[in-house]
Amino acid sequence: MNSVPFRIRQFASLDAIAPETWDACANPAKPAPGAGERFNPFLTHAFLAALEATSCVGKGTGWFPAHMVAETPDGRIAACAPVYLKTHSLGEYVFDQGLAEAYQRVGGRYYPKAQVAAPFTPVQGRRLLVAADAPSGAREALLAGLRALPEAAGLSSLHITFPDAADQAFLAKAGMIQRVGQQFHFFNRGYENFDDFLGALASRKRKAIRRERAEVSAAGLVVERVTGRDLTEAHWDAFFDFYTDTGSRKWGRPYLTRAFFSHLSAALADRILLVTARRDGRLIAGALNLIGDDALYGRNWGAIEHHPCLHFELCYYQAIEFAIERGLKRVEAGAQGEHKFSRGYEAVPTFSAHDFADPRLAAAAADFFAREARAVDAALAEYADSGPFRKA
């Protein structure tokens, strides 16, 4: 039994929650031991509010903010979660369109659904955000409020995507249906510099990476890293062209607006790393990263000219080099991309947790996720046996 009677409330905008109150839950100044990432930029009030302020989420997007908080009797927010009511399954990176189509074929209504996530961001992190000084039971109360959403709001389901290991264990113990996925991350094993990292690779992989980096230099491209106050509107104008060109070819409609990048830069400039390439002085490609306390997160990339190996240089090798220089523990370079594996990134599991209002849909999803997990486990084992690193 909870020692404090928490009140659950929802808000249609982060504007209703003070930034310092949200951030005290999202990124506690002194997180508990084992609480995961010390600072995750995608959970900040600044990042999530920028999405709302620049129409990346909200009316016309299929992402409707419905953020949930657990309050103490005196009105203090002890825990919160970024919640969205969704009318489609785009921008999530945990694909459930097959379930939606199957359910609709038998007369069910899959949308709207509830999503607990950092939108458009396949990055693991805390999802049940609890303040360091929250009374006992705050996380349990918040989860109970989330799980009541489908019935209370007439939704088909609740999806908590990319929770970190601590939240995932808590959600599994609470009985939510588990789903396993996979990504490729770089792990900094105490490397002194990029050459030190290369020395850990098998000879063939080491030579291939050196050859790819040399191709970029031979093409006359100048690679730069820009962060903090050096970021300008000219950078964002160019990067938005790169982003929309690539996004339009990949998924038809880029998720982020031009204004978003300016808002993000104004609020989190010191947490942004923009890696650019110039040819004859003109910006022709860029890769956007956000900087955590423990990890570098590669998010968006684009180019208006094609040059062999440029994508690998800007998105992977520059990220590794930066992480080593900053002493960051890892690089998360986004979803999918098996080609990362041969370039020093390692296969790791990712997680999500799900509730379904209809028992038939819950049973079908649980069966599918279990079979999918066996395939992911087999793939992870195969990657572990065939990595690019030198054998001991």
Side-chain angles (χ1 to χ4, degrees):
M1 180 178 294
N2 294 335
S3 58
V4 174
F6 294 95
R7 179 172 67 148
I8 301 299
R9 298 178 66 195
Q10 280 192 276
F11 298 93
S13 172
L14 273 186
D15 287 344
I17 304 173
E20 60 272 18
T21 300
W22 179 275
D23 289 339
C25 297
N27 286 301
K30 294 183 178 180
E37 179 77 10
R38 289 177 294 159
F39 180 90
N40 186 313
F42 302 104
L43 299 174
T44 60
H45 190 283
F47 179 85
L48 297 171
L51 292 173
E52 295 179 14
T54 59
S55 301
C56 301
V57 299
K59 184 178 179 181
T61 69
W63 292 78
F64 297 94
H67 307 302
M68 183 171 287
V69 305
E71 290 182 342
T72 59
D74 61 0
R76 181 169 65 91
I77 292 177
C80 55
V83 183
Y84 300 86
L85 305 184
K86 294 207 61 197
T87 57
H88 54 62
S89 292
L90 301 177
E92 298 169 11
Y93 303 93
V94 176
F95 304 107
D96 63 352
Q97 287 92 333
L99 282 176
E101 292 169 4
Y103 191 51
Q104 286 162 197
R105 281 198 299 269
V106 297
R109 187 170 67 96
Y110 196 76
Y111 305 109
K113 63 178 185 175
Q115 191 87 20
V116 180
F120 324 119
T121 308
V123 166
Q124 295 185 92
R126 290 181 290 271
R127 293 296 179 262
L128 306 177
L129 313 177
V130 183
D133 60 350
S136 176
R139 185 159 66 156
E140 289 79 1
L142 179 64
L143 179 58
L146 290 169
R147 299 187 80 175
L149 261 182
E151 181 177 355
L155 312 175
S156 72
S157 47
L158 167 69
H159 308 265
I160 302 178
T161 48
F162 296 104
D164 66 7
D167 270 358
Q168 181 66 14
F170 178 76
L171 297 169
K173 188 175 181 180
M176 293 191 72
I177 301 172
Q178 306 298 292
R179 190 175 189 184
V180 182
Q182 135 190 331
Q183 287 183 359
F184 297 91
H185 298 173
F186 163 79
F187 293 95
N188 182 2
R189 306 196 187 283
Y191 303 118
E192 293 186 2
N193 49 47
F194 194 85
D195 281 340
D196 193 22
F197 154 66
L198 287 181
L201 299 176
S203 175
R204 184 167 58 89
K205 302 298 184 184
R206 183 165 60 246
K207 291 176 181 177
I209 290 175
R210 284 180 172 148
R211 184 171 60 251
E212 288 179 347
R213 301 200 81 178
E215 281 201 44
V216 173
S217 297
L221 303 176
V222 177
V223 176
E224 300 170 324
R225 298 184 203 154
V226 191
T227 191
R229 65 183 66 185
D230 293 330
L231 291 162
T232 68
E233 289 301 296
H235 284 111
W236 296 122
D237 286 340
F239 180 75
F240 188 67
D241 287 343
F242 310 152
Y243 166 70
T244 52
D245 179 76
T246 299
S248 297
R249 286 186 279 107
K250 277 190 173 181
W251 54 81
R253 177 184 177 272
Y255 301 127
L256 303 173
T257 64
R258 168 64 184 86
F260 169 76
F261 296 103
S262 292
H263 269 67
L264 186 69
S265 190
L268 291 172
D270 290 336
R271 292 287 181 172
I272 295 172
L273 169 67
L274 184 65
V275 184
T276 65
R278 294 180 184 268
R279 185 179 63 78
D280 298 331
R282 178 191 180 213
L283 287 168
I284 56 95
L288 174 63
N289 305 263
L290 267 66
I291 308 167
D293 280 357
D294 297 312
L296 180 68
Y297 302 99
R299 283 307 308 119
N300 306 107
W301 135 271
I304 54 174
E305 293 182 8
H306 172 72
H307 294 274
C309 305
L310 182 58
H311 175 256
F312 303 143
E313 176 65 28
L314 266 56
C315 296
Y316 305 152
Y317 304 143
Q318 287 290 327
I320 289 173
E321 209 161 48
F322 182 87
I324 293 172
E325 291 172 6
R326 286 287 185 101
L328 299 175
K329 296 177 181 177
R330 67 187 187 280
V331 175
E332 297 191 21
Q336 304 170 326
E338 192 177 53
H339 49 276
K340 299 167 188 168
F341 180 65
S342 63
R343 294 171 172 85
Y345 288 71
E346 302 176 43
V348 298
T350 59
F351 305 100
S352 57
H354 309 263
D355 270 348
F356 298 93
D358 188 325
R360 299 171 301 167
L361 181 56
D367 177 69
F368 173 69
F369 294 164
R371 287 185 281 114
E372 184 181 51
R374 290 193 289 272
V376 171
D377 288 345
L380 291 173
E382 185 175 340
Y383 283 123
D385 287 341
S386 60
F389 295 91
R390 287 189 290 111
K391 303 301 181 185

